[in-house]
Amino acid sequence: MRHAPTILHLDMDAFYASVEQASKPSLRGKAVVVGGLGPRGVVATASYEARAFGVHSAMPMGQARRLAPHAAYLVPRFTLYRSISEQVMALLRELSPLVEPLSLDEAFVDLEAGETAWDEESARLAGIKLRADIRAVTGLTGSVGLAASKMLAKIASERAKPDGLVLIEPGSERALLGPLSVRTLPGVGPATGDHLRRAGITTVEELAEAGEDELVRLVGKAHGHGLYAMALAHDERPVVAEREAKSVSVEDTYDVDIHDRLRIGLEVQRLADRCVGRLRGAGLSGRTIVLKVRRYDFSTLTRSETLRGPTDDPTVVREAAARLLDSVDTTGGVRLLGVGVSGLADYTQEDLFAQAEPLPATEEPEEPVAGAVAERPEPVERQWRAGQDVQHAEYGHGWVQGSGVGRVTVRFETPQSPPGRVRTFLVGDAALGSAEPLPLVGAPGQASSEPDPASLPKSWSGTEGGGATSRP
């Protein structure tokens, strides 16, 4: 294992919630919860202000509302999160060709491979510069861990949260790991943790003291050897550069089970279009179309169809998804639908091979009853979701605070403005429409959401800001 602390782990602080606070001046310093807002929704991210009430990611949204009833509850805006993530990842790739993203807001970087750092001091300077660059480009904060291995770098970034930098000095690894829970180590989930606890092993130090033979007996040969090595602070896993995506997919979970077969078909078509949009946005095509259906009883079915060549044609994907839906029994209702494309390529062959097959013939409708009047479909009421970007012809850019009983409440403000005023409109107001998110950091000359450097926390014990608690 290398001894210089040149593995960097970056973890953006409460990423989705921090983006929303930076985007919405009235929410800065307030409790913000991002996730699915329906009865089956779960928390994706909670701001640190919301975490003070006990709200955390993966918690059912209903429980979060009971714990923090006055928090702002917003739907995710993944298009904006992805664009900011791309800015952050670009900064990481300036440091090294070896960048291993784990999610939109988290990645490992091998600084030595990029000749950015080779010892403790150069690694610390690289981490300080990265945090400053992220703040300048995005207006957001990230926590950085530096160590001689991926495992230790991730532990360091957790100790740095929020908004800090921690470097684990060579030679101090065993002392740092010893008192930590075994759950800190990679690969130790709830089941393994419980199994070790029943054997009287709860800390990393106790794991090391148990010895390799005992760990092999407890958890098996492969896992036992690996656990013992990590307990001794040995982690040889390399930083692996970003792998190509294997598939592109989208899915939606519905608050109420969908029973109407026509609506299910329309939802599948809509998901197919969204999937193709992502596919084209990544400059890819694919040859296998996948349909995912989770039924009322939580059973999940997947169906796939492989074309003769890759495609990014929305008609081809829609019709393939429709054929797959025909083979699925949706009696009783569905609670989740998804459409994906795999077998990806960076070119298309639809002109030669991947032409859509004709849809199977549908049953003829029953003869209309004499004298019956054809029903006209009722107009669909516009849907406004909390957190959604909107534009008003008179008041400008804003975001939806809430809607109901035929009305929608909007707060008009931008990332560079002071907290804005609230106004209420009819949901069908022609002057109000959806809008694209605004950049978090304004053009030169505009006010910035970046905090005053004088207000940032000072260094402590080799730490650039932040504290020693583990808060993702």
Side-chain angles (χ1 to χ4, degrees):
M1 184 181 75
R2 73 181 74 204
H3 297 292
T6 54
I7 297 294
L8 181 149
H9 181 259
L10 170 72
D11 197 354
M12 299 296 288
D13 299 321
F15 184 51
Y16 299 168
S18 293
V19 171
E20 298 301 339
Q21 289 176 319
S23 178
K24 301 171 171 64
S26 59
L27 296 184
R28 293 172 193 168
K30 306 288 181 62
V32 174
V33 181
V34 179
L37 303 187
R40 293 178 183 151
V42 296
V43 175
T45 307
S47 70
Y48 288 108
E49 296 85 356
R51 296 180 195 194
F53 293 96
V55 180
H56 58 78
S57 60
M59 172 181 285
M61 193 60 78
Q63 183 180 354
R65 289 183 185 275
R66 289 191 292 273
L67 291 171
H70 302 298
Y73 289 86
L74 309 174
V75 295
R77 296 186 295 163
F78 286 112
T79 300
L80 177 59
Y81 306 153
R82 287 191 190 93
S83 68
I84 296 169
S85 173
E86 289 167 4
Q87 292 177 305
V88 173
M89 296 301 166
L91 292 173
L92 298 183
R93 284 189 285 271
E94 291 178 7
L95 295 176
S96 172
L98 289 185
V99 176
E100 182 179 346
L102 305 179
S103 61
L104 289 178
D105 61 338
E106 184 181 2
F108 287 111
V109 184
D110 188 329
L111 297 176
E112 188 173 358
E115 300 182 353
T116 308
W118 48 90
D119 60 10
E120 183 178 337
E121 184 59 27
S122 58
R124 188 188 304 278
L125 290 174
I128 292 171
K129 182 179 185 301
L130 173 63
R131 293 182 61 239
D133 289 345
I134 289 173
R135 185 186 294 276
V137 171
T138 69
L140 304 175
T141 64
S143 294
V144 166
L146 291 158
S149 69
K150 289 168 70 172
M151 174 184 71
L152 292 167
K154 185 172 175 64
I155 290 171
S157 70
E158 289 173 350
R159 291 173 67 87
K161 282 191 168 291
D163 189 18
L165 182 152
V166 166
L167 183 149
I168 297 179
E169 297 179 0
S172 68
E173 296 93 347
R174 289 285 302 275
L176 171 74
L177 280 177
L180 300 181
S181 165
V182 294
R183 290 289 306 277
T184 306
L185 301 181
V188 180
T192 303
D194 287 345
H195 189 59
L196 292 170
R197 180 181 52 78
R198 288 194 293 272
I201 299 172
T202 59
T203 67
V204 176
E205 185 176 14
E206 291 168 344
L207 204 61
E209 291 173 350
E212 190 169 16
D213 292 342
E214 176 65 7
L215 294 178
V216 168
R217 187 186 70 80
L218 286 171
V219 299
K221 186 174 181 180
H223 205 18
H225 289 314
L227 276 181
Y228 184 66
M230 287 189 289
L232 299 180
H234 298 159
D235 178 16
E236 302 289 351
R237 295 175 301 155
V239 175
V240 180
E242 184 174 4
R243 298 181 178 90
E244 293 183 0
K246 295 181 179 179
S247 65
V248 173
S249 62
V250 296
E251 61 182 45
D252 276 344
T253 301
Y254 303 99
D255 295 340
V256 179
D257 292 347
I258 303 176
H259 294 81
D260 181 69
R261 185 76 180 187
L262 175 60
R263 188 189 164 195
I264 293 171
L266 291 173
E267 288 293 318
V268 167
Q269 301 297 287
R270 183 179 61 81
L271 290 166
D273 287 343
R274 281 174 52 197
C275 183
V276 168
R278 279 194 192 175
L279 201 65
R280 289 183 165 180
L284 297 170
S285 61
R287 63 195 307 262
T288 300
I289 315 302
V290 181
L291 175 72
K292 178 179 177 181
V293 180
R294 180 166 297 145
R295 298 190 290 190
Y296 69 99
D297 58 357
F298 285 94
S299 61
T300 303
L301 305 175
T302 57
R303 299 287 185 268
S304 64
E305 175 182 311
T306 299
L307 307 172
R308 288 172 291 176
T311 184
D312 66 352
D313 186 327
T315 302
V316 174
V317 177
R318 278 197 303 266
E319 294 185 358
R323 288 194 296 275
L324 294 170
L325 180 61
D326 284 340
S327 67
V328 176
D329 179 10
T330 58
T331 305
V334 300
R335 57 179 57 209
L336 177 146
L337 292 168
V339 174
V341 177
S342 60
L344 301 182
D346 57 1
Y347 62 94
T348 61
Q349 289 181 309
E350 64 267 20
D351 291 341
L352 296 177
F353 304 115
Q355 298 300 328
E357 298 176 16
L359 283 170
T362 56
E363 295 182 6
E364 290 295 322
E366 296 180 5
E367 289 294 323
V369 177
V373 179
E375 293 185 4
R376 293 184 180 179
E378 294 185 5
V380 178
E381 185 179 273
R382 296 164 76 185
Q383 298 294 315
W384 300 108
R385 303 190 300 167
Q388 175 184 347
D389 291 276
V390 295
Q391 183 77 21
H392 190 273
E394 180 181 354
Y395 301 110
H397 189 92
W399 58 278
V400 175
Q401 278 200 326
S403 64
V405 203
R407 287 175 169 75
V408 54
T409 301
V410 177
R411 184 182 289 273
F412 291 98
E413 58 187 6
T414 71
Q416 287 77 41
S417 76
R421 294 185 175 181
V422 175
R423 297 187 182 274
T424 299
F425 309 91
L426 295 175
V427 293
D429 193 319
L432 187 67
S434 59
E436 292 297 316
L438 297 177
L440 299 188
V441 176
Q446 285 185 303
S448 171
S449 59
E450 183 176 340
D452 178 17
S455 69
L456 298 178
K458 306 300 181 183
S459 299
W460 63 276
S461 303
T463 301
E464 170 82 16
T469 54
S470 175
R471 293 187 288 176

